[in-house]
């Protein structure tokens, strides 16, 4: 099936071609026709499935050409996602005269006010800043025809639902609404009943199994050796670019300092960083200036960071879904990748929850020639004990195996 079969406008098809997309992804195959028909759509799909194009292409195609009032509003939970979706929509619409503005907090109002004052067709926004601008009468929603609530479960987690409701109330009742969410908790179900009309659900299965292209393993280690093991892994692994996930902002800062002291080019992404710092971190990581990105879950959620060769969970994620999200950064779009999780004794419960969630045992491994201090976790590896076998990894990394020789950077 090709994109040409959907009946998208020529300008948008040219945009798709320029993006280099050849075939629609499963969510695009199912959502694009529904949105073109004018149906409300619930997409239970996560980032990485192509959902931005799934709603962006049909809606931009329907918008046609420029008019001075916003007709599409996309709500996003974080500034990074808002910026990323704005860029994607701009790319899709590059052969149209549609105008797109992005508004989010943490930066000055001036440029966003100016962009809106010039008259835009599309507004991509985080809820708080949009409400501010609406109160200042800089942004009006009375011509909205298409409303997209993206990453709705994240907006719920971050406490944005009351703001979202206030915004939805300001949109005309006659409109099309799409909602994307990896999970549909009861609060989102209520929102759906309230905000949507006879919606069709397109389920691309909240992914519970890691992509087959990702090799993932656990490194049991004593608490006092976590940083040493991290440094040793970075020294020995043949990586291009790595994301190191930490549980807390403070932890992320600490790990980043440690890595910097050890001569790694490091960027940090967490919600205490200023907007400028976050953008700079992302840009630098994408263009290869930084080889390691240290991030917390909230900051990294949903970001489209391509070409990550390795993910290291310095801390075990507390929510099993986050494990899938984190390791999904590598092995995307069929490139193979590796994901390592450092596990200390108190992580046992969380690791169990993850393994139950993905219905898979994650292999425990030991790094060859690393001067391990004893931890009771190693007992689990003994034959007949729970926790499976602890394996040593040696040898060359050939197609999904591991290379633990000296670092060989490709860049
Ligand atoms: P998303 O889930 O919207 O964040 O998209 C994830 C990544 O997949 C982005 O880099 C998109 O540009 C890319 N992508 C989306 N749709 C396609 C497609 N049909 N073919 C190839 N890449 C795509």
């Amino acid at each position: 099936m090709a994109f040409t079969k959907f009946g998208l406008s020529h300008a948008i098809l040219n945009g798709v071609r320029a993006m280099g997309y050849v075939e629609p992804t499963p969510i695009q195959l199912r959502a694009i026709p529904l949105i073109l028909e004018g149906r409300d759509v619930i997409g239970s799909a996560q980032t990485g499935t192509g959902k931005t194009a799934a709603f962006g292409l049909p809606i931009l195609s329907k918008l046609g050409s420029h008019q001075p009032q916003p007709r599409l509003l996309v709500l996003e939970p974080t500034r990074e996602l808002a910026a990323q979706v704005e860029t994607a929509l701009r790319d899709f619409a590059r052969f149209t005269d549609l105008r797109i503005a992005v508004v989010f907090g943490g930066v000055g109002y001036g440029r966003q006010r100016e962009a809106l004052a010039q008259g835009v067709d599309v507004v991509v926004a985080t809820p708080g800043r949009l409400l501010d601008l609406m109160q200042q009468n800089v942004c009006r929603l009375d011509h909205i025809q298409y409303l997209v609530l993206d990453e709705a479960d994240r907006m719920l987690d971050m406490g944005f639902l009351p703001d979202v409701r206030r915004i939805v109330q300001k949109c005309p009742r006659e409109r099309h609404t799409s909602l994307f969410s990896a999970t549909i908790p009861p609060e989102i179900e209520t929102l759906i009943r309230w905000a949507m009309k006879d919606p069709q659900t397109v389920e691309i299965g909240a992914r519970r199994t890691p992509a087959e292209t990702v090799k993932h393993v656990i490194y049991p280690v004593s608490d006092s050796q976590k940083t040493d093991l991290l440094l040793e892994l970075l020294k020995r692994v043949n990586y291009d670019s790595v994301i190191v996930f930490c549980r807390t902002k403070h932890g992320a800062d600490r790990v980043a300092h440690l890595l910097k002291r050890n001569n790694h080019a490091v960027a940090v992404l967490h919600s205490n960083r200023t907007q400028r710092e976050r953008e700079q971190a992302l840009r630098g990581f994408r263009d290869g200036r930084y080889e390691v990105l240290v991030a917390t879950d909230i900051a990294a959620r949903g970001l489209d960071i391509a070409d990550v060769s390795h993910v290291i969970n310095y801390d075990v994620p507390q929510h099993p879904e986050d494990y899938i999200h984190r390791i999904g950064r590598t092995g995307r779009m069929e490139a193979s990748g590796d994901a390592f999780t450092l596990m200390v004794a108190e992580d046992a419960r969380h690791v169990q929850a993850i393994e139950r969630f993905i219905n898979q045992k994650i292999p425990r491994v030991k790094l060859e020639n690393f001067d391990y201090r004893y931890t009771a976790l190693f007992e689990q590896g003994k034959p007949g004990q729970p926790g499976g076998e602890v394996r040593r990894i040696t040898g060359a990394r050939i197609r999904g195996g591991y290379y633990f020789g000296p670092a060989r950077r490709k860049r």
Side-chain angles (χ1 to χ4, degrees):
M1 162 88 191
F3 278 99
T4 44
K5 303 270 167 65
F6 288 124
L8 296 165
S9 72
H10 280 299
I12 293 297
L13 272 180
N14 284 338
V16 170
R17 208 165 295 133
M19 294 291 286
Y21 298 174
V22 179
E23 272 185 28
T25 65
I27 192 165
Q28 290 162 4
L29 267 178
R30 296 174 54 200
I32 292 175
L34 289 168
I35 296 177
L36 284 173
E37 266 171 42
R39 300 292 304 262
D40 281 8
V41 169
I42 301 168
S44 61
Q46 61 192 45
T47 298
T49 52
K51 70 182 161 66
T52 316
F55 68 79
L57 301 177
I59 297 177
L60 294 170
S61 179
K62 287 261 200 176
L63 292 184
S65 53
H66 176 62
Q67 286 176 28
Q69 301 287 353
R71 288 173 292 151
L72 163 61
L73 171 64
V74 184
L75 289 183
E76 296 288 341
T78 65
R79 327 165 201 191
E80 283 81 8
L81 273 170
Q84 185 174 300
V85 166
E86 182 224 13
T87 306
L89 296 183
R90 246 179 230 288
D91 284 339
F92 302 148
R94 75 179 87 171
F95 299 110
T96 72
D97 61 352
L98 293 170
R99 295 199 193 153
I100 301 173
V102 64
V103 305
F104 47 69
V107 292
Y109 283 81
R111 279 181 40 194
Q112 297 179 3
R113 271 209 205 102
E114 266 168 43
L116 291 167
Q118 283 173 8
V120 292
D121 301 274
V122 179
V123 176
V124 184
T126 55
R129 174 59 63 96
L130 179 65
L131 277 172
D132 283 354
L133 291 165
M134 285 162 61
Q135 267 151 18
Q136 297 167 17
N137 236 342
V138 184
C139 186
R140 297 184 59 92
L141 303 181
D142 22 16
H143 288 79
I144 292 295
Q145 297 169 4
Y146 296 92
L147 172 65
V148 177
L149 306 175
D150 197 14
E151 304 253 336
D153 49 356
R154 266 302 108 169
M155 294 207 272
L156 165 72
D157 289 350
M158 295 172 76
F160 292 155
L161 277 207
D163 284 354
V164 170
R165 281 175 170 270
R166 248 173 266 147
I167 292 166
V168 175
Q169 271 167 339
K170 296 286 180 196
C171 295
R173 275 167 170 264
E174 274 306 307
R175 59 159 200 268
H176 300 291
T177 309
S178 302
L179 178 141
F180 293 85
S181 202
T183 56
I184 311 278
E187 294 89 337
I188 299 295
E189 246 175 64
T190 310
L191 176 71
I192 287 171
R193 275 199 299 277
W194 176 73
M196 302 182 78
K197 265 190 291 208
D198 188 24
Q200 282 276 312
T201 301
V202 175
E203 212 164 330
I204 304 300
R207 179 167 227 165
R208 276 177 164 245
T209 46
E212 282 173 9
T213 46
V214 181
K215 295 271 163 212
H216 56 136
V217 294
I218 286 179
Y219 285 91
V221 65
S222 71
D223 213 1
S224 60
Q225 283 193 301
K226 256 177 119 173
T227 51
D228 292 342
L229 184 61
L230 173 67
L231 289 173
E232 199 57 29
L233 277 169
L234 287 174
K235 214 185 274 174
R236 295 207 220 165
V237 170
N238 176 29
Y239 67 84
D240 289 334
S241 55
V242 191
I243 304 187
V244 177
F245 280 102
C246 295
R247 194 171 299 151
T248 63
K249 301 168 200 174
H250 181 65
D253 280 336
R254 224 166 22 88
V255 167
H257 278 130
L258 170 86
L259 297 183
K260 274 182 204 158
R261 274 205 310 275
N262 284 272
N263 301 321
H264 290 284
V266 184
V268 194
L269 199 67
H270 61 59
S271 48
N272 271 6
R273 313 274 300 176
T274 64
Q275 180 60 20
R276 184 193 283 266
E277 286 169 333
R278 294 207 240 174
E279 275 170 12
Q280 199 229 348
L282 268 181
R283 209 173 317 116
F285 187 63
R286 285 205 180 103
D287 67 24
R289 214 160 359 112
Y290 304 117
E291 57 191 3
V292 184
L293 178 69
V294 182
T296 57
D297 286 304
I298 294 248
R301 181 96 180 190
L303 292 180
D304 178 29
I305 303 172
D307 292 337
V308 178
S309 67
H310 290 74
V311 165
I312 300 182
N313 294 319
Y314 182 77
D315 296 312
V316 171
Q318 304 213 308
H319 304 291
E321 320 81 87
D322 282 335
Y323 183 75
I324 299 290
H325 280 272
R326 288 183 183 187
I327 75 171
R329 312 266 130 219
T330 179
R332 293 182 111 192
M333 290 285 166
E334 294 174 18
S336 72
D338 292 344
F340 307 141
T341 299
L342 307 195
M343 173 192 186
V344 298
E346 68 223 35
D347 293 325
R349 205 164 41 90
H350 293 304
V351 168
Q352 250 176 16
I354 291 166
E355 292 183 325
R356 251 197 326 270
F357 183 76
I358 64 176
N359 198 20
Q360 240 181 65
K361 193 93 203 154
I362 309 166
R364 273 49 166 185
V365 296
K366 268 181 153 179
L367 189 58
E368 186 85 337
N369 299 327
F370 179 74
D371 190 15
Y372 277 104
R373 241 166 261 152
Y374 176 81
T375 152
L377 288 171
F378 297 150
E379 298 298 324
Q380 294 188 350
K382 295 197 172 147
Q385 298 281 328
E389 194 191 344
V390 173
R391 282 191 251 147
R392 288 173 165 206
I393 292 189
T394 50
R397 186 192 193 293
I398 314 163
R399 301 178 116 232
Y402 293 87
Y403 173 81
F404 281 135
R408 285 183 302 159
R409 311 253 164 86
K410 283 187 197 134
R411 259 197 210 106

